[in-house]
Amino acid sequence: MNKTEINKEYEHLKNLFKDVDESKVSLVDELLKQTAFLTIQLKGMSKTISKEGALQYSNKGNVRESPTYKVYLKSLGIYQGIVKTLNSIAGKNVIDEDDEFDSFMANH
């Protein structure tokens, strides 16, 4: 895990709240940290899934979702819930810039 990337993402998210009431910002600080962590984790998992695929095939011909894909989907749901909460607190679109993750989602 790259703490530098997480810290950079956290600062980016915190900057999106620069015009929000300070009491709200302190309230959501932990959510911003978790969102930064999840963003970096999701990007890493999406790269793995792009490289290895979302499905695993056994020697017997059975097919199942890869463990990485399962964790990705669960994490994505949590991420979406946090972003929705942050958006409602900020009263605007908090995550408004396209990034690698958005590109991945648009293509899959």
Side-chain angles (χ1 to χ4, degrees):
M1 172 185 336
N2 190 333
K3 289 184 179 183
T4 302
E5 285 184 66
I6 294 169
N7 288 335
K8 183 178 174 184
E9 182 65 20
Y10 168 70
E11 290 301 324
H12 167 74
L13 293 170
K14 196 171 173 183
N15 187 49
L16 294 173
F17 276 80
K18 69 179 184 251
D19 297 329
V20 176
D21 181 77
E22 184 61 36
S23 64
K24 287 183 179 182
V25 173
S26 63
L27 179 69
V28 299
D29 191 62
E30 188 59 36
L31 280 177
L32 295 175
K33 290 176 184 175
Q34 294 302 320
T35 304
F37 174 81
L38 281 170
T39 299
I40 301 307
Q41 293 302 306
L42 286 166
K43 284 180 182 181
M45 285 187 279
S46 71
K47 287 178 184 176
T48 300
I49 294 164
S50 292
K51 187 171 107 176
E52 298 175 5
L55 301 175
Q56 291 182 331
Y57 301 90
S58 73
N59 295 345
K60 297 178 183 178
N62 296 328
V63 179
R64 67 178 184 150
E65 290 180 337
S66 74
T68 302
Y69 188 63
K70 287 181 182 181
V71 171
Y72 174 83
L73 291 176
K74 188 172 186 174
S75 298
L76 183 59
I78 293 167
Y79 174 84
Q80 290 170 330
I82 292 172
V83 168
K84 184 176 181 180
T85 299
L86 290 172
N87 278 332
S88 67
I89 291 169
K92 62 178 184 177
N93 188 10
V94 174
I95 311 295
D96 58 0
E97 296 179 25
D98 285 345
D99 56 18
E100 291 176 35
F101 177 72
D102 294 321
S103 297
F104 174 81
M105 291 306 295
N107 294 320
H108 292 86

